[in-house]
Amino acid sequence: MTPVRAKILLSTILAVCVLGGTLLLSLGDSPAALPALAPKTVKPQASPAPAPVQESVQTPRAEVLSNRIVEYHIDVKLAEGNVLKGTSTMTWTHPGTKTVNELYFHLYPNAFSSDQTTFMKESGGKLRGDVMPKDGYGSMKLTEIKTTEGLSLLHRIQYVQPDDGNMNDRSLVKVRLPKPVKGGESITLSMAFEVELPKIFARMGAADEFVMAGQWFPKLSVYEPAGRRNRTTEGWNLHQYHGNSEFYSDFGIYSVRISVPENYTVAATGFPTKPFIKQDGQKIYQFYADDVHDFAWAASPDFIVAEEPFSAPNVPGVRIKLYLDPAHADLKDRYMYAAKAALSNFSEWYGRYPYSTLSIVVPPIDANGAGGMEYPTLITAFGADDTSPGYELERTVIHEIGHQYFYGMIASNEFEEAWLDEAFTSYAEDRLMEQEYGLTPNLPLQAGYISSPASLTQEAWKYDSHQHYAENVYTRGKLVLLGIEQQVGTKKMDQIMATYAAKYRFKHPTTAHFQKVVEQITRKSWAAYFDQYVYGGQMADFAVDSISVQEKGTPEEPSYISSIKVTKNAGDYAKIPIVFSFKDGHMIRKEWNGEGGEIIYNLTYKAPLDWAMVDPSYSIALENKHINNYLKAEGDEQLETRFNISITKVLELLLGSLSW
């Protein structure tokens, strides 16, 4: 999911400058440094809207990529009042060995049924800058659930709240089975359900005639056999829908029939297996997808559809489908270019894109709550209006396509280790935005944004707030990856990422799996680094603590001994660069490994030391307190201290105004 970029109007560019050359960070220097500061581009001249496109019909491929634990056959109708009425036949094959007596289903729309659900209480009715519309509640109701023999299980359901015990939360339901399922056996259940779509908020709902159906059907929870994600004993992985959490599911097969009013167009995961038909005022679509772990769709009578075939190395052939809001009809080429750049480069870096379609939905501005989200083979851009969009258009498309690899194919558990998706995708996004659009991230400023570092492997809902979640899972996690790259080099990092993506494709890996790949490629232990920066909530902090200068020479042969104390206040780093600048302009560069927590350099030279600075090029990605990196040998210490504090407060104020 793309974090919201807060739109801040800056009448002037704020320059942060500590006297004596300590620090110079201009917020205008790096448009991509923080989301709010992306530059604007000139909107292309309007061009005629694309002609209507009849979607291509395809057939399932024979290749099997995943374990296909679950299979869904769903029939759903968009009824009056933005209500979904559906039936589902679900077949699950038990992947473990222990006998199972119950199944668990996620009923995600119930997160929006009142202000007392776990999602609403944790989020405060806000997500990524969007606010739950007044009286915008929605819900899901199971109207039937039965076995293949016709036995109703509706009286056997029980809502459960394993994370917080909130009895008002009905986002997870247990179904007690009439007979147990043994390891390797399969069970089929038929369900009928109704979803009252909320007013669009938090990835799903309806806004006027636009519909975003995400997490819209009763979705089976994941049963993990021993060995999956390093589990020692098998069992269900059960979590409610939380304010920060996203999703985790098994791979499977989806065959979905969608019925909408005949003036609507549908975009969906997978591809149509037959042309849509019109019947009794309805338009009926049939979609199919395999080796995916979710299915989403969107519908609108206003979509302008454009479709192009695309192929590249590691992209054998894919149809890119745009479902444009009319406000962005003239931006088709920008969406297409970004999509093609993402597919071709990510497939080169992280492995072949195996699907035959990629759909991009551009919602209207009043449906922005559905924007910036990823689903298998389908992504959403941000809401379209008539203003000229900057590079956030491309950034959002590229970020969400990046999710096709880390969320879609690698498929880690986003309830418990969200950074394995969001940080990895943000890392890939930054690299491609720099390569294709020349937008270089301002890493020192991003690191300075990390005011409350926390473990990257804690459950998503245990962060203090959504902003706390975002600054760690997105930004700090990305900086952790950059910290590895800075130490091993770009070529070696590329090898690490490619190996990880290939080895754990369709495997649901953990942080420990990624660490193992890093260690295998670099042939050394990274335990200390991961313990501090991944499993722990550490950032780096290196400081020039003190400078003293003694004159030892004569007027004829001047000589000075400059003593500089450098300290490690927090975090380890393999190579810490330090520069010493003397009054006559001479410079000496040193490198410290941080051992012992402090070091004193005694430098003898014909001129006194002027200043010293740790990490002068801001090359340590995880250093977030640059204010103490620099120290001048002479000056009014009290004045400098007051000035430094004031600049720090300005930075805190500015960064605190940005939201995700």
Side-chain angles (χ1 to χ4, degrees), residues 10-315:
L10 297 177
S11 58
T12 60
I13 296 176
L14 173 64
V16 179
C17 179
V18 178
L19 295 177
T22 302
L23 179 63
L24 181 60
L25 292 177
S26 171
L27 300 188
D29 290 343
S30 177
L34 285 179
L37 305 175
K40 298 291 183 180
T41 56
V42 178
K43 189 174 183 180
Q45 293 296 315
S47 57
V53 173
Q54 174 64 52
E55 290 188 297
S56 57
V57 173
Q58 297 170 252
T59 56
R61 52 184 164 74
E63 182 184 16
V64 177
L65 302 174
S66 71
N67 52 15
R68 297 186 178 181
I69 293 294
V70 67
E71 182 172 343
Y72 292 92
H73 293 262
I74 306 177
D75 194 327
V76 63
K77 178 180 180 180
L78 175 60
E80 186 176 353
N82 289 322
V83 172
L84 303 182
K85 296 184 177 181
T87 59
S88 172
T89 300
M90 185 280 310
T91 300
W92 174 68
T93 301
H94 186 351
T97 60
K98 293 183 178 180
T99 298
V100 166
N101 295 298
E102 63 271 329
L103 301 183
Y104 293 83
F105 291 88
H106 295 285
L107 307 184
Y108 286 114
N110 281 338
F112 312 113
S113 60
S114 77
D115 61 2
Q116 294 302 304
T117 69
T118 294
F119 183 99
M120 293 297 290
K121 290 175 71 174
E122 290 179 353
S123 68
K126 299 177 181 179
L127 186 69
R128 302 185 300 161
D130 291 302
V131 178
M132 178 72 170
K134 185 179 180 181
D135 301 323
Y137 296 113
S139 62
M140 170 182 275
K141 179 170 67 172
L142 287 176
T143 57
E144 185 56 279
I145 179 167
K146 59 185 179 181
T147 66
T148 52
E149 294 79 18
L151 177 65
S152 176
L153 306 181
L154 205 57
H155 63 292
R156 292 172 173 261
I157 69 172
Q158 176 187 353
Y159 295 100
V160 293
Q161 303 83 21
D163 297 325
D164 65 1
N166 178 9
M167 298 301 292
N168 294 307
D169 189 81
R170 295 190 165 195
S171 62
L172 187 65
V173 67
K174 177 171 70 174
V175 180
R176 290 181 290 109
L177 301 175
K179 61 180 182 179
V181 182
K182 297 179 181 179
E185 292 182 344
S186 297
I187 182 173
T188 298
L189 296 180
S190 296
M191 288 170 277
F193 61 94
E194 290 187 5
V195 177
E196 183 181 346
L197 289 169
K199 291 181 181 178
I200 221 151
F201 169 69
R203 314 177 187 96
M204 74 168 298
D208 294 327
E209 294 183 304
F210 174 86
V211 167
M212 184 70 231
Q215 311 302 329
W216 56 279
F217 59 94
K219 190 174 178 183
L220 188 69
S221 297
V222 176
Y223 188 91
E224 296 181 321
R228 164 89 75 91
R229 298 180 53 253
N230 296 324
R231 283 190 73 135
T232 55
T233 58
E234 64 183 75
W236 291 99
N237 186 271
L238 300 175
H239 297 298
Q240 299 155 240
Y241 195 5
H242 292 271
N244 288 333
S245 68
E246 292 191 28
F247 314 105
Y248 172 47
S249 305
D250 274 317
F251 288 100
I253 294 171
Y254 290 81
S255 179
V256 182
R257 190 169 77 157
I258 303 170
S259 179
V260 294
E262 65 179 359
N263 62 325
Y264 274 63
T265 298
V266 172
T269 291
F271 54 83
T273 57
K274 61 179 71 174
F276 64 75
I277 61 172
K278 292 185 178 181
Q279 180 178 306
D280 300 327
Q282 297 286 300
K283 188 185 288 183
I284 302 172
Y285 291 82
Q286 181 70 50
F287 288 93
Y288 174 88
D290 52 27
D291 298 313
V292 297
H293 51 75
D294 198 5
F295 188 100
W297 57 278
S300 171
D302 299 321
F303 281 146
I304 295 173
V305 182
E307 183 176 320
E308 290 186 13
F310 176 68
S311 62
N314 296 305
V315 186

Side-chain angles (χ1 to χ4, degrees), residues 6 69 76 101 126 205 435 461 493 523 556 594 619:
I69 293 294
V76 63
N101 295 298
K126 299 177 181 179
Q435 174 183 298
W461 60 93
M493 188 64 178
R523 299 183 180 181
E556 293 77 19
S619 60

Side-chain angles (χ1 to χ4, degrees), residues 377-543:
T377 79
L378 182 147
I379 67 168
T380 62
F382 60 75
D385 60 18
D386 57 3
T387 61
S388 178
Y391 282 115
E392 287 306 285
L393 183 154
E394 287 82 3
R395 183 178 290 280
T396 302
V397 170
I398 284 170
H399 182 93
E400 304 309 335
I401 293 176
H403 279 302
Q404 296 300 310
Y405 298 82
F406 299 105
Y407 148 87
M409 286 177 263
I410 294 175
S412 49
N413 184 336
E414 290 192 88
F415 288 113
E416 299 177 7
E417 295 180 282
W419 89 286
L420 288 175
D421 176 34
E422 297 297 356
F424 283 56
T425 299
S426 297
Y427 171 88
E429 166 205 327
D430 272 2
R431 179 178 177 183
L432 191 57
M433 288 300 294
E434 183 172 359
Q435 174 183 298
E436 295 294 325
Y437 301 99
L439 299 183
T440 304
N442 192 324
L443 297 177
L445 191 57
Q446 291 190 14
Y449 175 64
I450 310 301
S451 59
S452 182
S455 170
L456 298 177
T457 55
Q458 66 183 6
E459 290 92 340
W461 60 93
K462 292 186 178 178
Y463 291 95
D464 295 340
S465 63
H466 189 69
Q467 180 166 328
H468 189 222
Y469 166 82
E471 75 176 52
N472 280 281
V473 168
Y474 287 82
T475 305
R476 199 173 79 82
K478 176 187 69 177
L479 295 174
V480 165
L481 296 177
L482 286 168
I484 298 173
E485 180 184 325
Q486 288 171 349
Q487 295 178 68
V488 304
T490 301
K491 185 176 180 180
K492 188 75 72 175
M493 188 64 178
D494 288 349
Q495 186 181 359
I496 288 170
M497 296 293 283
T499 301
Y500 170 72
K503 186 172 184 177
Y504 295 107
R505 196 173 171 93
F506 301 101
K507 294 293 195 300
H508 313 286
T510 65
T511 298
H513 290 119
F514 177 66
Q515 180 181 343
K516 187 175 181 180
V517 170
V518 175
E519 293 178 337
Q520 287 174 339
I521 297 299
T522 60
R523 299 183 180 181
K524 71 172 188 177
S525 172
W526 284 78
Y529 186 88
F530 274 74
D531 286 345
Q532 290 180 69
Y533 299 118
V534 179
Y535 302 114
Q538 188 69 271
M539 290 292 282
D541 181 16
F542 308 112

